[in-house]
Amino acid sequence: MNFEPVTVRRLGIGLALAAALATSACAAGQDAATAGESPTIEGTNAQIGPIKLLDILVEAPKSGTFYAPGSNVPVKLVVVNTGARADRLTSITSSAITSWGAFATTQEADAAVNSSSAPASATTSAAPSSAAASTSSAPRRRGHASSSASSSASSSASSSPTSTAAPLPTPSRSIPVAPGSRVSWGTPEAKGALLLMQTTKPLYPGGSITLTFTFASAGTVSVVV
């Protein structure tokens, strides 16, 4: 008889703990309010008419701490056409870039990025000057010898190796977006890449630039990226 109040008290505490655990379990389950929240998106979003621009983000440089002027810079972007008519991305402009382009493959885009960051070779420009110097310093005792030296220098110059680098592929600057579909770059499903080309100033991670997107039907929208 004397232990009955203690037993009831313990039973009450046990029920309270069970209720608290059940409440916290529900909050962490699929029906919780936080379960339906979308993850934080790093990029900028915008919309013009039926066209949505999602997760716009200038990707960080793969080497170095910033993009030097003249660089070709990859951009992450998802374009969604929620309308019933096809549209077309026709222009991306900014005071920070000279041009833009969409490449069919990431390999082509990587080649364009690498070409913009590679320093010009000093060997090619130095070769003609070296040949000219050797020609001018040759002794001119006879006209025949001078002519022979010039001929030899010409032959040497013409036989010297020249750059055989393949020309870069031409990017597309008119991107169709079918109704009810999306086009993306920098996402897992993307096969190609979008580049901002020939930057006019240094671009640092954490900074921002204003990009203006123009669509054939939807119109123009400016976004701070």
Side-chain angles (χ1 to χ4, degrees), residues 47-51 81 85-88 213-221:
Q47 183 168 358
I48 176 170
I51 299 295
N81 185 354
R85 296 172 50 190
D87 209 335
R88 185 177 293 272
F213 298 85
T214 301
F215 291 85
S217 298
T220 300
V221 60

Side-chain angles (χ1 to χ4, degrees), residues 74-102:
V75 178
K76 181 180 181 182
L77 169 64
V78 179
V79 180
V80 181
N81 185 354
T82 63
R85 296 172 50 190
D87 209 335
R88 185 177 293 272
L89 175 62
T90 59
S91 174
I92 302 176
T93 57
S94 172
S95 61
I97 64 174
T98 303
S99 184
W100 68 285

Side-chain angles (χ1 to χ4, degrees), residues 134-136 138-154:
S134 63
T135 303
S136 59
R140 297 186 178 181
R141 296 181 179 179
R142 297 180 181 178
H144 178 72
S146 176
S147 174
S148 176
S150 298
S151 176
S152 175
S154 299

Side-chain angles (χ1 to χ4, degrees), residues 18-213:
L21 290 173
T23 302
S24 61
C26 289
Q30 293 299 321
D31 295 330
T34 54
E37 294 182 358
S38 300
T40 302
I41 297 178
E42 295 180 348
T44 305
N45 299 331
Q47 183 168 358
I48 176 170
I51 299 295
K52 292 183 178 180
L53 306 177
L54 306 177
D55 207 6
I56 315 169
L57 181 70
V58 176
E59 297 183 10
K62 294 181 179 180
S63 61
T65 57
F66 70 99
Y67 290 109
S71 298
N72 296 331
V73 180
V75 178
K76 181 180 181 182
L77 169 64
V78 179
V79 180
V80 181
N81 185 354
T82 63
R85 296 172 50 190
D87 209 335
R88 185 177 293 272
L89 175 62
T90 59
S91 174
I92 302 176
T93 57
S94 172
S95 61
I97 64 174
T98 303
S99 184
W100 68 285
F103 292 82
T105 66
T106 54
Q107 290 79 8
E108 291 181 354
D110 288 342
V113 171
N114 294 334
S115 70
S116 67
S117 59
S121 173
T123 306
T124 305
S125 60
S129 300
S130 178
S134 63
T135 303
S136 59
S137 61
R140 297 186 178 181
R141 296 181 179 179
R142 297 180 181 178
H144 178 72
S146 176
S147 174
S148 176
S150 298
S151 176
S152 175
S154 299
S155 300
S156 174
S158 61
S159 62
S160 62
T162 57
S163 176
T164 57
L168 292 175
T170 302
S172 174
R173 295 186 176 90
S174 181
I175 313 300
V177 188
S181 69
R182 56 184 270 169
V183 180
S184 63
W185 299 273
T187 59
E189 73 272 15
K191 297 181 180 179
L194 182 69
L195 298 185
L196 305 178
M197 304 184 71
Q198 294 297 306
T199 55
T200 60
K201 62 180 182 179
L203 298 184
Y204 295 88
S208 63
I209 59 175
T210 300
L211 298 178
T212 299
F213 298 85

